[in-house]
PDB file of all heavy atoms in Angstrom:
ATOM      1  N   ILE A   1     -62.392  81.634  37.298  1.00  0.00           N
ATOM      2  CA  ILE A   1     -61.313  81.174  38.104  1.00  0.00           C
ATOM      3  C   ILE A   1     -60.631  82.369  38.911  1.00  0.00           C
ATOM      4  O   ILE A   1     -60.352  82.192  40.072  1.00  0.00           O
ATOM      5  CB  ILE A   1     -60.239  80.533  37.190  1.00  0.00           C
ATOM      6  CG1 ILE A   1     -60.616  79.143  36.863  1.00  0.00           C
ATOM      7  CG2 ILE A   1     -58.825  80.545  37.859  1.00  0.00           C
ATOM      8  CD1 ILE A   1     -59.445  78.366  36.159  1.00  0.00           C
ATOM      9  N   MET A   2     -60.561  83.491  38.292  1.00  0.00           N
ATOM     10  CA  MET A   2     -59.887  84.722  38.986  1.00  0.00           C
ATOM     11  C   MET A   2     -60.719  84.891  40.234  1.00  0.00           C
ATOM     12  O   MET A   2     -60.298  85.374  41.232  1.00  0.00           O
ATOM     13  CB  MET A   2     -59.824  85.845  38.081  1.00  0.00           C
ATOM     14  CG  MET A   2     -59.012  85.657  36.861  1.00  0.00           C
ATOM     15  SD  MET A   2     -59.139  87.160  35.756  1.00  0.00           S
ATOM     16  CE  MET A   2     -58.801  86.527  34.106  1.00  0.00           C
ATOM     17  N   SER A   3     -62.156  84.890  40.136  1.00  0.00           N
ATOM     18  CA  SER A   3     -62.935  85.135  41.263  1.00  0.00           C
ATOM     19  C   SER A   3     -62.785  84.128  42.431  1.00  0.00           C
ATOM     20  O   SER A   3     -63.025  84.487  43.564  1.00  0.00           O
ATOM     21  CB  SER A   3     -64.471  85.201  40.750  1.00  0.00           C
ATOM     22  OG  SER A   3     -64.883  83.877  40.505  1.00  0.00           O
ATOM     23  N   ARG A   4     -62.303  82.925  42.034  1.00  0.00           N
ATOM     24  CA  ARG A   4     -62.090  81.931  43.233  1.00  0.00           C
ATOM     25  C   ARG A   4     -60.748  82.085  43.809  1.00  0.00           C
ATOM     26  O   ARG A   4     -60.402  81.338  44.801  1.00  0.00           O
ATOM     27  CB  ARG A   4     -62.392  80.591  42.653  1.00  0.00           C
ATOM     28  CG  ARG A   4     -63.706  80.313  42.082  1.00  0.00           C
ATOM     29  CD  ARG A   4     -64.740  80.235  43.254  1.00  0.00           C
ATOM     30  NE  ARG A   4     -66.100  79.714  42.617  1.00  0.00           N
ATOM     31  CZ  ARG A   4     -66.514  78.464  42.706  1.00  0.00           C
ATOM     32  NH1 ARG A   4     -65.695  77.480  43.179  1.00  0.00           N
ATOM     33  NH2 ARG A   4     -67.631  78.098  42.211  1.00  0.00           N
ATOM     34  N   ALA A   5     -59.748  82.767  43.182  1.00  0.00           N
ATOM     35  CA  ALA A   5     -58.434  82.764  43.533  1.00  0.00           C
ATOM     36  C   ALA A   5     -58.254  83.720  44.873  1.00  0.00           C
ATOM     37  O   ALA A   5     -59.012  84.477  45.164  1.00  0.00           O
ATOM     38  CB  ALA A   5     -57.501  83.278  42.382  1.00  0.00           C
ATOM     39  N   ASP A   6     -57.114  83.446  45.507  1.00  0.00           N
ATOM     40  CA  ASP A   6     -56.770  84.220  46.632  1.00  0.00           C
ATOM     41  C   ASP A   6     -56.037  85.601  46.234  1.00  0.00           C
ATOM     42  O   ASP A   6     -56.170  86.539  46.788  1.00  0.00           O
ATOM     43  CB  ASP A   6     -55.801  83.472  47.607  1.00  0.00           C
ATOM     44  CG  ASP A   6     -56.607  82.279  48.193  1.00  0.00           C
ATOM     45  OD1 ASP A   6     -57.730  82.513  48.779  1.00  0.00           O
ATOM     46  OD2 ASP A   6     -55.985  81.185  48.084  1.00  0.00           O
ATOM     47  N   ARG A   7     -55.161  85.416  45.104  1.00  0.00           N
ATOM     48  CA  ARG A   7     -54.445  86.528  44.665  1.00  0.00           C
ATOM     49  C   ARG A   7     -54.491  86.370  43.101  1.00  0.00           C
ATOM     50  O   ARG A   7     -54.481  85.298  42.421  1.00  0.00           O
ATOM     51  CB  ARG A   7     -52.989  86.494  45.050  1.00  0.00           C
ATOM     52  CG  ARG A   7     -52.813  87.036  46.593  1.00  0.00           C
ATOM     53  CD  ARG A   7     -51.309  87.277  46.872  1.00  0.00           C
ATOM     54  NE  ARG A   7     -50.496  86.036  46.788  1.00  0.00           N
ATOM     55  CZ  ARG A   7     -49.203  85.874  46.456  1.00  0.00           C
ATOM     56  NH1 ARG A   7     -48.661  86.926  45.856  1.00  0.00           N
ATOM     57  NH2 ARG A   7     -48.601  84.828  46.396  1.00  0.00           N
ATOM     58  N   ILE A   8     -54.392  87.550  42.404  1.00  0.00           N
ATOM     59  CA  ILE A   8     -54.222  87.537  40.950  1.00  0.00           C
ATOM     60  C   ILE A   8     -53.001  88.383  40.616  1.00  0.00           C
ATOM     61  O   ILE A   8     -52.731  89.460  41.058  1.00  0.00           O
ATOM     62  CB  ILE A   8     -55.480  88.398  40.315  1.00  0.00           C
ATOM     63  CG1 ILE A   8     -56.878  87.559  40.743  1.00  0.00           C
ATOM     64  CG2 ILE A   8     -55.414  88.467  38.806  1.00  0.00           C
ATOM     65  CD1 ILE A   8     -58.104  88.430  40.278  1.00  0.00           C
ATOM     66  N   LEU A   9     -52.161  87.692  39.822  1.00  0.00           N
ATOM     67  CA  LEU A   9     -50.909  88.314  39.373  1.00  0.00           C
ATOM     68  C   LEU A   9     -51.041  88.558  37.887  1.00  0.00           C
ATOM     69  O   LEU A   9     -51.311  87.604  37.199  1.00  0.00           O
ATOM     70  CB  LEU A   9     -49.686  87.489  39.767  1.00  0.00           C
ATOM     71  CG  LEU A   9     -49.534  86.990  41.222  1.00  0.00           C
ATOM     72  CD1 LEU A   9     -48.236  85.998  41.323  1.00  0.00           C
ATOM     73  CD2 LEU A   9     -49.455  88.192  42.042  1.00  0.00           C
ATOM     74  N   GLU A  10     -50.717  89.685  37.446  1.00  0.00           N
ATOM     75  CA  GLU A  10     -50.874  90.060  36.092  1.00  0.00           C
ATOM     76  C   GLU A  10     -49.413  90.254  35.430  1.00  0.00           C
ATOM     77  O   GLU A  10     -48.552  90.930  36.007  1.00  0.00           O
ATOM     78  CB  GLU A  10     -51.637  91.333  35.817  1.00  0.00           C
ATOM     79  CG  GLU A  10     -51.817  91.557  34.279  1.00  0.00           C
ATOM     80  CD  GLU A  10     -52.802  92.764  34.085  1.00  0.00           C
ATOM     81  OE1 GLU A  10     -53.384  93.380  35.048  1.00  0.00           O
ATOM     82  OE2 GLU A  10     -52.967  93.152  32.934  1.00  0.00           O
ATOM     83  N   LEU A  11     -49.154  89.532  34.358  1.00  0.00           N
ATOM     84  CA  LEU A  11     -47.995  89.683  33.601  1.00  0.00           C
ATOM     85  C   LEU A  11     -48.125  90.442  32.361  1.00  0.00           C
ATOM     86  O   LEU A  11     -49.194  90.112  31.672  1.00  0.00           O
ATOM     87  CB  LEU A  11     -47.313  88.251  33.249  1.00  0.00           C
ATOM     88  CG  LEU A  11     -46.547  87.442  34.351  1.00  0.00           C
ATOM     89  CD1 LEU A  11     -46.327  86.146  33.890  1.00  0.00           C
ATOM     90  CD2 LEU A  11     -45.222  88.272  34.602  1.00  0.00           C
ATOM     91  N   ARG A  12     -47.333  91.312  32.002  1.00  0.00           N
ATOM     92  CA  ARG A  12     -47.453  92.084  30.704  1.00  0.00           C
ATOM     93  C   ARG A  12     -45.959  92.224  30.236  1.00  0.00           C
ATOM     94  O   ARG A  12     -45.126  92.722  30.799  1.00  0.00           O
ATOM     95  CB  ARG A  12     -48.114  93.434  30.986  1.00  0.00           C
ATOM     96  CG  ARG A  12     -48.229  94.140  29.661  1.00  0.00           C
ATOM     97  CD  ARG A  12     -48.907  95.525  29.970  1.00  0.00           C
ATOM     98  NE  ARG A  12     -50.272  95.228  30.504  1.00  0.00           N
ATOM     99  CZ  ARG A  12     -51.015  96.334  31.031  1.00  0.00           C
ATOM    100  NH1 ARG A  12     -50.531  97.496  31.044  1.00  0.00           N
ATOM    101  NH2 ARG A  12     -52.175  95.923  31.589  1.00  0.00           N
ATOM    102  N   ASP A  13     -45.761  91.643  29.021  1.00  0.00           N
ATOM    103  CA  ASP A  13     -44.582  91.768  28.313  1.00  0.00           C
ATOM    104  C   ASP A  13     -43.316  91.177  29.245  1.00  0.00           C
ATOM    105  O   ASP A  13     -42.223  91.778  29.342  1.00  0.00           O
ATOM    106  CB  ASP A  13     -44.139  93.077  27.854  1.00  0.00           C
ATOM    107  CG  ASP A  13     -45.091  93.649  26.797  1.00  0.00           C
ATOM    108  OD1 ASP A  13     -45.640  92.751  25.989  1.00  0.00           O
ATOM    109  OD2 ASP A  13     -45.443  94.791  26.737  1.00  0.00           O
ATOM    110  N   GLY A  14     -43.587  90.004  29.930  1.00  0.00           N
ATOM    111  CA  GLY A  14     -42.551  89.478  30.857  1.00  0.00           C
ATOM    112  C   GLY A  14     -42.310  90.141  32.131  1.00  0.00           C
ATOM    113  O   GLY A  14     -41.443  89.769  32.905  1.00  0.00           O
ATOM    114  N   LEU A  15     -43.122  91.160  32.525  1.00  0.00           N
ATOM    115  CA  LEU A  15     -43.133  91.990  33.702  1.00  0.00           C
ATOM    116  C   LEU A  15     -44.319  91.740  34.612  1.00  0.00           C
ATOM    117  O   LEU A  15     -45.374  91.695  34.028  1.00  0.00           O
ATOM    118  CB  LEU A  15     -42.904  93.462  33.530  1.00  0.00           C
ATOM    119  CG  LEU A  15     -41.644  93.975  32.835  1.00  0.00           C
ATOM    120  CD1 LEU A  15     -41.818  95.266  32.367  1.00  0.00           C
ATOM    121  CD2 LEU A  15     -40.429  93.787  33.750  1.00  0.00           C
ATOM    122  N   LEU A  16     -44.066  91.517  35.822  1.00  0.00           N
ATOM    123  CA  LEU A  16     -45.244  91.410  36.779  1.00  0.00           C
ATOM    124  C   LEU A  16     -45.704  92.751  37.198  1.00  0.00           C
ATOM    125  O   LEU A  16     -45.017  93.555  37.791  1.00  0.00           O
ATOM    126  CB  LEU A  16     -44.845  90.664  38.079  1.00  0.00           C
ATOM    127  CG  LEU A  16     -45.822  90.236  39.183  1.00  0.00           C
ATOM    128  CD1 LEU A  16     -46.927  89.423  38.487  1.00  0.00           C
ATOM    129  CD2 LEU A  16     -45.283  89.580  40.267  1.00  0.00           C
ATOM    130  N   THR A  17     -46.824  93.243  36.499  1.00  0.00           N
ATOM    131  CA  THR A  17     -47.157  94.653  36.580  1.00  0.00           C
ATOM    132  C   THR A  17     -48.240  94.929  37.706  1.00  0.00           C
ATOM    133  O   THR A  17     -48.417  96.072  38.059  1.00  0.00           O
ATOM    134  CB  THR A  17     -47.724  95.007  35.255  1.00  0.00           C
ATOM    135  OG1 THR A  17     -48.850  94.224  34.919  1.00  0.00           O
ATOM    136  CG2 THR A  17     -46.664  94.941  34.131  1.00  0.00           C
ATOM    137  N   ARG A  18     -48.890  93.882  38.122  1.00  0.00           N
ATOM    138  CA  ARG A  18     -49.955  94.214  39.107  1.00  0.00           C
ATOM    139  C   ARG A  18     -50.245  92.897  39.887  1.00  0.00           C
ATOM    140  O   ARG A  18     -50.346  91.790  39.464  1.00  0.00           O
ATOM    141  CB  ARG A  18     -51.245  94.752  38.293  1.00  0.00           C
ATOM    142  CG  ARG A  18     -52.356  95.035  39.217  1.00  0.00           C
ATOM    143  CD  ARG A  18     -53.409  95.814  38.478  1.00  0.00           C
ATOM    144  NE  ARG A  18     -54.099  94.926  37.469  1.00  0.00           N
ATOM    145  CZ  ARG A  18     -55.243  94.358  37.670  1.00  0.00           C
ATOM    146  NH1 ARG A  18     -55.833  94.343  38.840  1.00  0.00           N
ATOM    147  NH2 ARG A  18     -55.854  93.397  36.708  1.00  0.00           N
ATOM    148  N   GLU A  19     -50.646  93.180  41.242  1.00  0.00           N
ATOM    149  CA  GLU A  19     -51.125  92.223  42.069  1.00  0.00           C
ATOM    150  C   GLU A  19     -52.342  92.689  42.703  1.00  0.00           C
ATOM    151  O   GLU A  19     -52.499  93.810  43.229  1.00  0.00           O
ATOM    152  CB  GLU A  19     -50.026  91.796  43.148  1.00  0.00           C
ATOM    153  CG  GLU A  19     -50.458  90.623  44.109  1.00  0.00           C
ATOM    154  CD  GLU A  19     -49.559  90.260  45.205  1.00  0.00           C
ATOM    155  OE1 GLU A  19     -48.303  90.347  44.855  1.00  0.00           O
ATOM    156  OE2 GLU A  19     -50.041  89.720  46.149  1.00  0.00           O
ATOM    157  N   SER A  20     -53.399  91.745  42.718  1.00  0.00           N
ATOM    158  CA  SER A  20     -54.666  92.317  43.379  1.00  0.00           C
ATOM    159  C   SER A  20     -55.390  91.065  44.037  1.00  0.00           C
ATOM    160  O   SER A  20     -54.938  89.898  43.954  1.00  0.00           O
ATOM    161  CB  SER A  20     -55.613  92.847  42.260  1.00  0.00           C
ATOM    162  OG  SER A  20     -55.862  91.860  41.182  1.00  0.00           O
ATOM    163  N   THR A  21     -56.481  91.371  44.776  1.00  0.00           N
ATOM    164  CA  THR A  21     -57.278  90.264  45.169  1.00  0.00           C
ATOM    165  C   THR A  21     -58.676  90.298  44.539  1.00  0.00           C
ATOM    166  O   THR A  21     -59.119  91.381  44.125  1.00  0.00           O
ATOM    167  CB  THR A  21     -57.541  90.429  46.839  1.00  0.00           C
ATOM    168  OG1 THR A  21     -57.916  91.696  46.921  1.00  0.00           O
ATOM    169  CG2 THR A  21     -56.129  90.233  47.481  1.00  0.00           C
ATOM    170  N   PRO A  22     -59.242  89.286  44.341  1.00  0.00           N
ATOM    171  CA  PRO A  22     -60.573  89.180  43.637  1.00  0.00           C
ATOM    172  C   PRO A  22     -61.598  90.131  44.323  1.00  0.00           C
ATOM    173  O   PRO A  22     -61.648  90.094  45.596  1.00  0.00           O
ATOM    174  CB  PRO A  22     -60.976  87.741  43.609  1.00  0.00           C
ATOM    175  CG  PRO A  22     -59.758  86.912  43.875  1.00  0.00           C
ATOM    176  CD  PRO A  22     -58.820  87.876  44.680  1.00  0.00           C
ATOM    177  N   GLU A  23     -62.451  90.685  43.599  1.00  0.00           N
ATOM    178  CA  GLU A  23     -63.585  91.456  44.139  1.00  0.00           C
ATOM    179  C   GLU A  23     -64.525  90.464  44.634  1.00  0.00           C
ATOM    180  O   GLU A  23     -64.928  89.389  43.896  1.00  0.00           O
ATOM    181  CB  GLU A  23     -64.233  92.438  43.257  1.00  0.00           C
ATOM    182  CG  GLU A  23     -63.258  93.517  42.741  1.00  0.00           C
ATOM    183  CD  GLU A  23     -63.917  94.479  41.689  1.00  0.00           C
ATOM    184  OE1 GLU A  23     -65.114  94.259  41.425  1.00  0.00           O
ATOM    185  OE2 GLU A  23     -63.239  95.463  41.213  1.00  0.00           O
ATOM    186  N   PRO A  24     -65.274  90.564  45.768  1.00  0.00           N
ATOM    187  CA  PRO A  24     -66.286  89.776  46.229  1.00  0.00           C
ATOM    188  C   PRO A  24     -67.373  89.808  45.284  1.00  0.00           C
ATOM    189  O   PRO A  24     -67.849  90.676  44.685  1.00  0.00           O
ATOM    190  CB  PRO A  24     -66.769  90.258  47.628  1.00  0.00           C
ATOM    191  CG  PRO A  24     -66.275  91.707  47.588  1.00  0.00           C
ATOM    192  CD  PRO A  24     -65.013  91.778  46.757  1.00  0.00           C
ATOM    193  N   GLU A  25     -67.956  88.510  45.088  1.00  0.00           N
ATOM    194  CA  GLU A  25     -69.155  88.402  44.159  1.00  0.00           C
ATOM    195  C   GLU A  25     -70.331  89.088  44.835  1.00  0.00           C
ATOM    196  O   GLU A  25     -70.594  89.007  46.072  1.00  0.00           O
ATOM    197  CB  GLU A  25     -69.531  86.903  43.932  1.00  0.00           C
ATOM    198  CG  GLU A  25     -68.383  86.129  43.224  1.00  0.00           C
ATOM    199  CD  GLU A  25     -68.732  84.732  42.909  1.00  0.00           C
ATOM    200  OE1 GLU A  25     -69.837  84.306  43.275  1.00  0.00           O
ATOM    201  OE2 GLU A  25     -67.824  84.055  42.398  1.00  0.00           O
ATOM    202  N   PRO A  26     -71.064  89.780  43.939  1.00  0.00           N
ATOM    203  CA  PRO A  26     -72.344  90.450  44.582  1.00  0.00           C
ATOM    204  C   PRO A  26     -73.368  89.438  45.145  1.00  0.00           C
ATOM    205  O   PRO A  26     -73.505  88.412  44.621  1.00  0.00           O
ATOM    206  CB  PRO A  26     -72.947  91.124  43.355  1.00  0.00           C
ATOM    207  CG  PRO A  26     -72.428  90.321  42.173  1.00  0.00           C
ATOM    208  CD  PRO A  26     -71.142  89.891  42.508  1.00  0.00           C
ATOM    209  N   VAL A  27     -73.982  89.854  46.202  1.00  0.00           N
ATOM    210  CA  VAL A  27     -74.955  89.159  46.978  1.00  0.00           C
ATOM    211  C   VAL A  27     -76.369  89.311  46.321  1.00  0.00           C
ATOM    212  O   VAL A  27     -76.794  90.516  46.128  1.00  0.00           O
ATOM    213  CB  VAL A  27     -75.027  89.395  48.501  1.00  0.00           C
ATOM    214  CG1 VAL A  27     -76.144  88.622  49.182  1.00  0.00           C
ATOM    215  CG2 VAL A  27     -73.727  89.127  49.139  1.00  0.00           C
ATOM    216  N   THR A  28     -77.048  88.231  45.911  1.00  0.00           N
ATOM    217  CA  THR A  28     -78.301  88.421  45.322  1.00  0.00           C
ATOM    218  C   THR A  28     -79.451  87.776  46.286  1.00  0.00           C
ATOM    219  O   THR A  28     -79.147  86.839  46.970  1.00  0.00           O
ATOM    220  CB  THR A  28     -78.399  87.627  44.003  1.00  0.00           C
ATOM    221  OG1 THR A  28     -78.035  86.309  44.179  1.00  0.00           O
ATOM    222  CG2 THR A  28     -77.419  88.350  43.009  1.00  0.00           C
TER     223      THR A  28
END
């Protein structure tokens, strides 16, 4: 699911600690 998202928000102990975008899936 994370790989399909536009943004990833990480919560830790009630705090929003990190925002990132998914890494593109490798091309095979």
Side-chain angles (χ1 to χ4, degrees):
I1 280 190
M2 297 178 209
S3 71
R4 299 288 189 97
D6 298 306
R7 286 192 290 146
I8 300 171
L9 305 180
E10 183 174 358
L11 281 171
R12 183 176 298 173
D13 296 326
L15 292 168
L16 187 57
T17 58
R18 185 168 64 94
E19 178 176 337
S20 60
T21 55
E23 296 182 2
E25 296 182 1
V27 177
T28 56

